[in-house]
Amino acid sequence: MAKFDVVDVSMKKVAEIELSDEIFAAKPNSHLLYEGAKMQQINRRRGTLGVKNSSLVSGGGKKPWKQKGTGRARQGSTRASHWVGGGKAMGPKARDYSYRPPRAVRRGAVASAISLRAVEKNLVILDQFPSDGKSKAASTTLTRGLKLKDALVVDAKSNEKLHRAVRNLAAFDVLPPEGVNVESVLRRKTLVLTVAAAKALDEALTRARGPKAEA
């Protein structure tokens, strides 16, 4: 078990906490990070781009003129791709781009991202993060108290005032423990967890079986 300092909002040590090595003190696995980021990015593709081919364009069921004797080239339909108003030959089709790796890989990717921040000494664990719901007060706590320029703040969903205050700040993000993902962790330089959030992440991610967050 790895030991981490628990600080208050003025960065003074108030306690220690033990957390799983596999989640908070592992060697980051770059491939797991890639898989997690790829899953999130590719799943944002809607895949709705598509055009009609000759079988989907309405009309054109009747042969425009007889096969022989007119002096013109033979034609089977007015909806062939070389006709104005015809279908598109070999055009793009709507498709599903969704990508979902195994659960152990998804959890391992999040664990690698958290461990990366811990290795970089950019992981802050707070005893608690009180908030009055005001963005100005939250900004003061993060920039002056914790001396951070940008960060992802993670605390329980029940702390609604904190979520409401931080989500309005351009340089800071806020999520509940169950919403933590690879992109959100990597987007910000620092990861700020409350003790409750750290324990929730530790419990959820240690249930994963399969690839560890080690290279």
Side-chain angles (χ1 to χ4, degrees):
M1 299 292 281
K3 289 186 177 181
F4 294 89
D5 292 340
V6 178
V7 299
D8 59 15
V9 292
S10 59
M11 289 300 289
K12 293 181 180 179
K13 181 179 176 180
V14 295
E16 285 189 348
I17 186 173
E18 289 189 350
L19 298 168
S20 171
D21 288 335
E22 293 183 1
I23 310 303
F24 290 86
K27 183 178 179 180
N29 187 321
S30 58
H31 182 67
L32 288 179
L33 293 175
Y34 164 76
E35 288 291 329
K38 182 176 80 169
M39 179 192 71
Q40 290 183 252
Q41 292 177 8
I42 202 169
N43 285 343
R44 285 198 289 268
R45 295 189 68 176
R46 298 182 63 185
T48 55
L49 176 63
V51 296
K52 293 181 179 181
N53 57 27
S54 58
S55 66
L56 296 177
V57 178
S58 61
K62 181 182 178 182
K63 190 174 177 67
W65 50 76
K66 64 182 183 177
Q67 182 81 347
K68 295 178 180 294
T70 65
R72 291 177 288 187
R74 51 196 170 187
Q75 301 292 331
S77 171
T78 57
R79 293 298 177 262
S81 59
H82 61 281
W83 280 73
V84 174
K88 180 70 174 178
M90 295 177 288
K93 296 181 179 179
R95 56 173 290 188
D96 181 12
Y97 287 96
S98 62
Y99 172 72
R100 189 172 178 83
R103 179 186 298 178
V105 173
R106 301 196 306 270
R107 290 182 173 178
V110 176
S112 279
I114 295 173
S115 292
L116 178 63
R117 289 294 175 255
V119 169
E120 296 171 340
K121 305 297 183 183
N122 289 327
L123 174 63
V124 178
I125 300 180
L126 295 174
D127 55 344
Q128 57 180 347
F129 199 139
S131 176
D132 58 359
K134 302 296 183 181
S135 296
K136 185 176 181 179
S139 178
T140 301
T141 299
L142 290 165
T143 56
R144 297 184 183 178
L146 300 178
K147 295 178 172 56
L148 301 175
K149 293 183 178 180
D150 75 325
L152 169 64
V153 181
V154 183
D155 197 10
K157 188 183 295 185
S158 57
N159 194 351
E160 295 179 358
K161 290 184 177 180
L162 173 64
H163 285 256
R164 186 167 64 248
V166 177
R167 71 188 181 192
N168 292 324
L169 304 177
F172 298 92
D173 297 325
V174 62
L175 285 173
E178 56 270 23
V180 173
N181 59 81
V182 173
E183 277 195 339
S184 295
V185 175
L186 298 183
R187 184 182 298 119
R188 300 300 183 184
K189 183 178 180 180
T190 305
L191 176 61
V192 179
L193 305 175
T194 61
V195 170
K199 290 180 178 178
L201 284 170
D202 194 16
E203 180 181 355
L205 295 174
T206 50
R207 291 199 300 266
R209 298 183 180 274
K212 295 183 180 180
E214 295 182 354

